[in-house]
Every structure is written in structure tokens, then in C-alpha cells.
């Protein structure tokens, strides 16, 4: 029997870590779009582009987690990973939007 010296990667910690990365990236994209032109925030093409970025990020980081735990992930764990990932990213994005509209530009 082989010894595995690698520490077990926890589902919540991995999902929170990379969900925070996605939340920060989408918040920065929002701030850049606002600086370029606030009307960009309401453009449907940009909304679809951001949706695709989020969808790709969930898939890429989910596959990365699956490979870390041995190459197989049951549906329940995959769903839980995606849920935690998106909740963390959404919370950070929401906080970023609140800061944008109440602190940076309250008008």
C-alpha cells in the first residue's frame, strides 16, 4: 500500500479560495467598465461575456479540484463545490458593487 504524503484538500476551503479569486476578478472588471463608461454596465453583450467567464471559471476550478482529490467527484460534491464557489464569488461581487455605488460614486 502506498503512502500518500500530500495533504487532503478540503472542498470548502478550495471552493472559497477560488470563489474569492473569481469574485475579485469580476469586481475589478466591473470597476474597469465603470471607469471606461458607466453605460457599459447595462450592455447585454458584456453581461453575456461575464456570464461565460463565470461559467468557464466554475468548470475549470471544478476540474482542478476533481483532479486534486483523485480524478473522480460524485454529483453531490460537485454541486456543493459549485454552489460554495458561486456564493463566495457572488458575495464579493455584491460587496464590490455596494462599495462602487455608495462610496466611490454615491450619486
Amino acid at each position: 500500500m502506498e503512502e500518500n504524503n500530500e495533504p487532503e484538500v478540503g472542498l470548502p476551503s478550495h471552493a472559497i479560495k477560488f470563489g474569492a479569486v473569481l469574485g475579485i476578478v469580476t469586481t475589478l472588471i466591473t470597476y474597469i467598465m465603470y471607469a471606461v463608461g458607466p453605460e457599459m454596465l447595462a450592455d447585454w453583450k458584456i453581461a453575456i461575456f461575464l456570464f461565460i467567464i463565470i461559467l468557464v471559471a466554475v468548470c475549470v476550478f471544478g476540474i482542478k479540484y476533481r483532479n486534486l482529490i483523485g480524478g473522480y467527484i460524485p454529483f453531490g460534491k460537485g454541486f456543493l463545490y459549485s454552489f460554495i464557489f458561486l456564493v463566495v464569488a457572488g458575495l464579493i461581487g455584491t460587496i464590490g458593487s455596494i462599495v462602487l455605488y455608495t462610496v466611490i460614486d454615491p450619486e
Side-chain angles (χ1 to χ4, degrees):
M1 191 161 152
E2 287 184 26
E3 266 190 56
N4 188 1
N5 293 333
E6 295 180 25
E8 176 90 16
V9 178
L11 185 143
S13 63
H14 195 272
I16 290 170
K17 177 179 161 184
F18 289 107
V21 169
L22 179 65
I24 291 168
V25 167
T26 56
T27 300
L28 290 175
I29 290 171
T30 301
Y31 286 173
I32 290 168
M33 288 188 322
Y34 187 80
V36 170
E39 64 278 353
M40 289 181 70
L41 295 173
D43 190 8
W44 67 271
K45 291 174 239 160
I46 293 176
I48 291 175
F49 173 71
L50 285 175
F51 177 73
I52 291 171
I53 288 175
I54 292 167
L55 189 63
V56 168
V58 170
C59 292
V60 167
F61 291 121
I63 290 169
K64 185 174 182 175
Y65 176 70
R66 181 192 68 188
N67 292 337
L68 279 174
I69 63 169
Y72 175 76
I73 188 168
F75 176 78
K77 281 191 174 186
F79 184 82
L80 181 63
Y81 179 87
S82 300
F83 182 77
I84 293 170
F85 183 91
L86 290 171
V87 165
V88 170
L91 286 174
I92 291 173
T94 301
I95 292 168
S97 293
I98 290 170
V99 168
L100 176 64
Y101 294 118
T102 59
V103 177
I104 297 172
D105 189 18
E107 296 176 6

